[in-house]
Amino acid sequence: MTGPALPSWPFLIPRRAVALTAAAVVGLALAASGWAQEPDAVKARAQLKAGGYGPALAAADEALKEPFSQTEEWFLIRLEALMAQGMYPQALQTAEQALAHDGRSLQLQWAAREVFLANGDTARAEEAVSDIERLMSFRRAGYRDVQSIVVHGKVMILRGADPKTVLTKIFDAARKLVPDAREPQLAAGELALEKNDFALAAKTFQAGLKTFPDDPDFLCGLARAFAPSDRKAMQANLEAALKVNPSHVPSLLRLADHWIDAEKYTEAAELLDRVAKVNPHRPEMWSYRAVLAHLKNDPAGESAARAEALKFYASNPLPDHLIGRKLSQKYRFAEGVAHQRKALEFSPDYGPAEAQLASDLLRLGEEDEGWKLAAKVQADDAYNVASFNLMTLHDAMKTDFATLRNDHFVVRMAAKEAPVYGSRVLELLGEARTKLGTKYGIDIVSPTIVEIFPTEKDFGVRTFGMPDNPGYLGVCFGRVVTATSPSARPGAAVNWEAVLWHEFCHVVTLQSTRNRMPRWLSEGISVYEERQADPSWGEHMNEEYREMILSGKLTPVSALSGAFLAPPSALHLQFAYYESSLVVEFIINQYGPGALKSVLQDLGEGQEINAVLAKRVAPMETLERDFAIHAKELAQNLAPALDWQQPEPTLLLPESEEALRTWMRERPVNLWVLQRQAEELMEAGAWSEAKAPLQKLIDLYPGQTGPGSARVLLAQVHRKLNETPEETTVLTHIAAKEAAAPDVTQRLMDLASASGDWPTVTRQARRFLAVNPLIATGWKYLAQAADKTGDDATAITALRTLLALEPPNTAEIHYRLAAVLHRTGNGEARRQVLMALEDTPRHRAALKLLQEIPRTLPSPTVAPAPEADPSVPDPAAVPPTPPAPAPAAPGSP
């Protein structure tokens, strides 16, 4: 989504903020940088850049001893060196001296403001801002240097000016005046980051690095811009920044933040110790330490760290905002909300805390307050990309979404899709609630809110705040679940029923632990429970996973959560889900399901995961060792008689054809060889001969799945040879093993319909609809099978759904629906047959049926309907879907 349209310049800046208009900026004469050109000052600046804060401070002290050296530049160097080392009281003294020496310098006034805030003196910080405004009002022509222009732009932001206009008409204008100036580009990038415009931030910092290639501030800024989308790029830029300046505190803090996300708390703590050696009073450093203490269930340590963060600035909203944001990222939204409220007590209009609080409330299901606050954030800051996207989506959902409700769920989905499969969503969620709630022994809080989005962009906005979606199908926050609908991924085969089951399992485990569980355990249980619900769901051992395990790419359990954060590829991410589920399965099989439930209970009490595992399962070292042995055995037992060796790349060259043939002859049970033989025979049209290598491969590797598996190829061979019974047998096996194989299920429906095997048609139709209920094929076959077997309720539901999909042959569907309704004595039959005749007046069967239907039929007695909820679709438009069959046992259709 793009940002909102902006009004013209004169209406954006409050009068009290206007000291430098756009016209004034454009009219500024080209000004040289305000930095001093003395060799010693240039050297001190280089020392600051490299992290030599002590030497730079010493140089400034020496220079400021002499009256003629008491310049703006040396005061700025001394202030930067003192602030970087957390020497806030000394910085306060220097700021007072600097302002007494030159109170007309905008740069000194702005630097003094930062010093006053660090010391908790908000009144004097506000006075510094007012002084900048006053100076610009009376001496505008005297501040034509780039640095002063940038300072004034920052003041305009504080005073409520439109950020996007300041960005384009102040910072960009200043950059054009002096293209190689550092301050405008740095300020523009920081502003874009603050407003969540990460694409613009990345572009700005990349442009700045062309002029300042080894500037740690630009490198760190670029890393922050990449953080939401590309953790590899983020880490690379942080490492580059720390190579230039090993003491660059913003980079150290950003890297610590990353390790906290990855649950590598020891590494994060080590980085915070490095920060403390540079600046022992940095509020963010103490805030992160408070987060680590909270995650270790150390309330005393958390309280002490928070107090240190507020030591010099007792009403600083940043520490509580940061603590709350990190706890919310750990899905501890209730604790996050509490900290954001504390931040807003200190500063009622602190935008970052308002935005985070709105997001947290929405994820807790506190929608009334959450949406109101989100609207306020957007109204107060029209340039904040995340809040603009969120409110745009909110407005669209009001008109384009339908709401379905029962005692336990509120489901929101596209109004066009709700009549098609909305009732099945409620039914499936109800099944999951009953089975999983009972299994894990918890009383699930109602209602659970489930929002299903027809586009990945809208799913990304609702889930992550931005339209980008890094490959997720669904996300659970505890009481709130977001998911993509089948229409969000056209052409992709995904079993949406398995996705919803997976996400609702998160509802159960997150509520069981009060959202206090590592990611690997949460994901592992959900994937494990997928397999328990239906053997074709979830992740299973395959060739790729076998190779990863046997090649030493198994992630240690203690580091498994980090495998989800920055995986090298999509395959590595899927393997993280699979490995996590294997760990859960291993714990249950070795220590019993009671051990897992005890682990969840202890986590809910705030105990640390390693301590809990040591008490309920085994010490982490033992668990990792035993699990690694188990995983290796599983990998080795995948088709153990099969030769898994791949030919060397040189053998695949055209000139190596004879050598390749020799290599193949020597390996009669090789996976690659058997597949190659079968494919070559099929390409040559030798269909009967292709059976032998395919059947041999199936015998050696019966669990192989995927579009290129031996069974898929064998089904193609049987079809070419018109061996329908054999083809049906093979396809039935594939359908039972693969949750998302719509081509297979459609072919089975075709074959079963032709042979009159209506139970099979019904079963495969339901499998087809579990992948994509928005295609008429599944409903057509389901209606046909139900009609043939006398299942009138299912036939009525399927035919109504077909009409909701607006197919081209509506007359025939109206007629068929009328016939079933007439058979059940439903008075609506006459209306349906008339609708058929309206489309096709000469429909003979419909004319005959009309003659059989009396003009009036008694309507069934129904209880009075409750007062309508305008957000709930008409029940007639959202027919109930008959229950799906029980999951098939392994190997059955």
Side-chain angles (χ1 to χ4, degrees):
M1 292 185 179
T2 58
L6 294 167
S8 58
W9 167 267
F11 302 100
L12 292 169
I13 306 170
R15 285 190 177 183
R16 60 194 179 92
V18 177
L20 180 64
T21 66
V25 171
V26 174
L28 288 175
L30 180 64
S33 171
W35 289 1
Q37 298 301 313
E38 300 94 321
D40 289 344
V42 172
K43 180 180 178 181
R45 280 287 175 192
Q47 290 171 330
L48 289 175
K49 175 182 172 182
Y53 305 119
L57 178 59
D61 288 344
E62 187 66 27
L64 290 171
K65 288 179 181 178
E66 301 295 335
F68 66 85
S69 296
Q70 292 179 0
T71 62
E72 173 191 76
E73 177 65 359
W74 279 117
F75 278 118
L76 289 172
I77 290 172
R78 189 169 202 275
L79 287 173
E80 185 173 339
L82 290 170
M83 292 290 285
Q85 297 176 89
M87 302 169 73
Y88 302 137
Q90 297 92 322
L92 179 60
Q93 294 177 356
T94 300
E96 292 170 342
Q97 293 169 4
L99 293 180
H101 176 78
D102 185 5
R104 295 175 299 178
S105 166
L106 299 195
Q107 290 186 80
L108 286 177
Q109 288 283 1
W110 185 260
R113 172 187 180 270
E114 300 301 306
V115 172
F116 294 145
L117 287 177
N119 285 276
D121 194 338
T122 55
R124 292 183 72 183
E126 170 61 24
E127 183 180 335
V129 174
S130 298
D131 286 344
I132 293 172
E133 292 179 301
R134 177 178 53 80
L135 289 166
M136 288 298 301
S137 297
F138 291 105
R139 300 186 66 251
R140 182 180 307 168
Y143 297 105
R144 297 182 175 181
D145 60 287
V146 169
Q147 291 78 14
S148 295
I149 295 172
V150 170
V151 168
H152 190 256
K154 293 178 179 179
V155 169
M156 291 168 67
I157 295 293
L158 287 179
R159 293 305 197 212
D162 178 75
K164 199 163 189 177
T165 299
V166 172
L167 189 67
T168 58
K169 296 188 177 181
I170 299 296
F171 295 157
D172 284 356
R175 187 179 60 187
K176 290 176 182 177
L177 287 172
V178 184
D180 61 347
R182 178 177 183 272
E183 289 82 355
Q185 294 186 74
L186 190 60
E190 291 288 343
L191 180 57
L193 282 177
E194 181 184 335
K195 304 307 177 184
N196 298 305
D197 194 343
F198 299 110
L200 178 59
K203 181 180 178 181
T204 302
F205 287 120
Q206 285 169 333
L209 284 168
K210 292 179 181 178
T211 307
F212 309 99
D214 60 346
D215 191 308
D217 290 334
F218 281 95
L219 289 165
C220 183
L222 184 57
R224 292 167 59 199
F226 281 133
S229 59
D230 190 342
R231 292 285 178 132
K232 287 183 182 178
M234 180 201 75
Q235 287 182 264
N237 281 284
L238 290 177
E239 290 169 1
L242 291 171
K243 186 175 181 180
V244 175
N245 179 357
S247 299
H248 193 252
V249 168
S251 293
L252 291 170
L253 291 171
R254 178 62 252 183
L255 197 54
D257 186 287
H258 170 70
W259 290 132
I260 291 174
D261 290 345
E263 298 180 14
K264 293 187 176 182
Y265 302 133
T266 301
E267 291 86 341
E270 291 172 353
L271 286 167
L272 296 177
D273 289 342
R274 287 177 60 182
V275 172
K277 291 179 181 179
V278 180
N279 183 348
H281 305 300
R282 182 83 177 204
E284 296 97 316
M285 180 265 292
W286 285 108
S287 300
Y288 282 122
R289 283 183 168 174
V291 171
L292 292 176
H294 182 102
L295 296 174
K296 293 179 180 178
N297 197 28
D298 178 9
E302 179 183 4
S303 178
R306 178 178 178 271
E308 285 291 337
L310 296 170
K311 179 177 181 179
F312 288 96
Y313 182 1
S315 61
N316 187 358
L318 174 61
D320 278 304
H321 165 63
L322 178 54
I323 295 169
R325 179 170 60 82
K326 294 310 296 179
L327 292 180
S328 293
Q329 288 174 356
K330 294 297 180 183
Y331 280 39
R332 304 189 182 193
F333 301 112
E335 296 94 325
V337 163
H339 278 284
Q340 301 307 332
R341 293 195 190 281
K342 287 180 182 179
L344 291 172
E345 288 176 6
F346 290 146
S347 180
D349 295 322
Y350 188 59
E354 286 186 318
Q356 186 65 46
L357 178 58
S359 176
D360 290 346
L361 290 170
L362 291 174
R363 289 167 176 174
L364 283 170
E366 304 294 336
E367 295 185 312
D368 289 343
E369 184 182 1
W371 283 119
K372 287 179 182 177
L373 188 55
K376 179 181 183 300
V377 171
Q378 204 273 326
D380 291 346
D381 185 359
Y383 178 42
N384 189 302
V385 175
S387 64
F388 172 76
N389 288 341
L390 188 61
M391 291 311 300
T392 301
L393 174 62
H394 175 255
D395 293 342
M397 289 177 67
K398 286 182 178 179
T399 57
D400 299 340
F401 274 53
T403 302
L404 294 78
R405 303 175 190 270
N406 62 20
D407 291 342
H408 301 301
F409 295 96
V410 174
V411 175
R412 298 188 183 97
M413 57 194 302
K416 292 183 178 180
E417 297 183 5
V420 177
Y421 69 107
S423 56
R424 176 57 184 155
V425 170
L426 285 173
E427 181 184 53
L428 180 76
L429 291 170
E431 294 171 8
R433 188 178 193 279
T434 299
K435 292 181 180 179
L436 295 174
T438 301
K439 183 173 186 177
Y440 287 90
I442 73 163
D443 185 13
I444 302 167
V445 177
S446 292
T448 300
I449 299 169
V450 179
E451 296 179 343
I452 303 174
F453 295 91
T455 68
E456 287 192 312
K457 177 184 68 176
D458 288 345
F459 168 78
V461 168
R462 180 65 176 91
T463 307
F464 309 109
M466 300 299 287
D468 300 322
N469 174 18
Y472 289 94
L473 299 172
V475 172
C476 172
F477 300 107
R479 274 190 61 203
V480 176
V481 171
T482 59
T484 56
S485 91
S487 61
R489 294 171 178 254
V494 175
N495 190 301
W496 66 267
E497 293 189 355
V499 171
L500 285 187
W501 195 278
H502 177 108
E503 297 305 330
F504 189 79
C505 186
H506 282 310
V507 173
V508 173
T509 55
L510 287 174
Q511 290 192 23
S512 176
T513 61
R514 296 169 61 193
N515 288 34
R516 298 172 176 177
M517 63 191 308
R519 182 169 181 182
W520 72 263
L521 182 59
S522 180
E523 298 294 357
I525 293 175
S526 284
V527 175
Y528 170 80
E529 289 297 346
E530 280 188 73
R531 291 198 295 266
Q532 299 306 300
D534 187 322
S536 70
W537 291 359
E539 294 289 331
H540 297 267
M541 182 70 77
N542 58 34
E543 297 99 301
E544 291 86 358
Y545 296 165
R546 175 189 181 277
E547 173 62 23
M548 293 179 77
I549 293 172
L550 296 181
S551 63
K553 295 179 182 176
L554 197 71
T555 304
V557 179
S558 58
L560 195 47
S561 290
F564 293 91
L565 195 59
S569 67
L571 175 62
H572 286 79
L573 177 60
Q574 289 304 116
F575 183 66
Y577 282 97
Y578 174 63
E579 183 185 343
S580 298
S581 74
L582 279 190
V583 178
V584 169
E585 188 173 72
F586 177 75
I587 291 173
I588 292 173
N589 290 342
Q590 293 295 314
Y591 303 95
L596 181 62
K597 291 174 66 175
S598 296
V599 167
L600 298 180
Q601 181 178 356
D602 291 347
L603 290 173
E605 294 172 358
Q607 299 180 43
E608 193 267 334
I609 181 62
N610 285 3
V612 169
L613 289 173
K615 179 172 65 173
R616 301 295 187 181
V617 179
M620 182 58 76
E621 296 80 5
T622 303
L623 176 61
E624 288 185 333
R625 181 197 66 209
D626 294 348
F627 170 70
I629 295 172
H630 171 70
K632 187 174 181 180
E633 289 175 351
L634 286 177
Q636 291 172 334
N637 289 331
L638 180 69
L642 194 63
D643 176 7
W644 294 85
Q645 186 178 357
Q646 295 281 326
E648 294 294 331
T650 54
L651 285 176
L652 302 178
L653 298 174
E655 59 268 24
S656 303
E657 184 176 353
E658 185 58 36
L660 177 62
R661 292 299 172 187
T662 301
W663 186 90
M664 293 174 65
R665 282 193 298 270
E666 294 172 351
R667 291 164 175 79
V669 293
N670 180 272
L671 171 63
W672 188 91
V673 169
L674 291 170
Q675 288 178 326
R676 175 72 171 258
Q677 289 174 348
E679 290 168 358
E680 288 180 346
L681 289 168
M682 292 173 69
E683 288 175 4
W687 303 107
S688 295
E689 291 83 351
K691 289 183 186 179
L694 290 172
Q695 189 58 57
K696 189 173 187 179
L697 186 51
I698 290 171
D699 294 339
L700 291 167
Y701 185 7
Q704 187 184 30
T705 58
S709 67
R711 280 195 175 85
V712 170
L713 297 179
L714 184 58
Q716 295 176 20
V717 168
H718 287 312
R719 185 172 185 177
K720 287 291 185 180
L721 295 172
N722 294 317
E723 297 172 348
T724 302
E726 291 84 354
E727 180 191 0
T728 300
T729 300
V730 174
L731 291 174
T732 299
H733 189 96
I734 296 171
K737 291 290 186 181
E738 301 193 31
D743 293 342
V744 171
T745 53
Q746 179 164 349
R747 176 63 177 164
L748 282 170
M749 288 187 293
D750 294 341
L751 295 173
S753 176
S755 64
D757 183 0
W758 304 115
T760 295
V761 173
T762 299
R763 183 165 54 248
Q764 299 306 331
R766 294 194 186 283
R767 287 188 173 276
F768 185 92
L769 294 172
V771 176
N772 197 334
L774 302 172
I775 297 177
T777 304
W779 297 108
K780 181 190 73 172
Y781 274 115
L782 185 62
Q784 183 185 25
D787 187 45
K788 295 293 185 180
T789 58
D791 185 353
D792 293 336
T794 299
I796 291 170
T797 297
L799 291 167
R800 289 191 190 279
T801 306
L802 277 172
L803 290 171
L805 290 171
E806 300 179 352
N809 59 334
T810 55
E812 182 64 21
I813 298 171
H814 281 299
Y815 162 70
R816 291 170 60 193
L817 178 56
V820 180
L821 290 170
H822 179 51
R823 190 163 63 223
T824 61
N826 190 317
E828 189 193 345
R830 184 177 183 85
R831 184 170 69 90
Q832 290 293 334
V833 76
L834 288 173
M835 293 174 73
L837 290 168
E838 182 180 5
D839 287 344
T840 309
R842 296 189 179 186
H843 195 299
R844 293 187 178 183
L847 288 168
K848 182 178 179 182
L849 180 60
L850 181 62
Q851 294 175 342
E852 298 175 5
I853 300 175
R855 286 188 174 275
T856 57
L857 281 175
S859 300
T861 302
V862 295
E867 184 177 352
D869 182 338
S871 63
V872 181
D874 181 352
V878 188
T881 301
S892 65

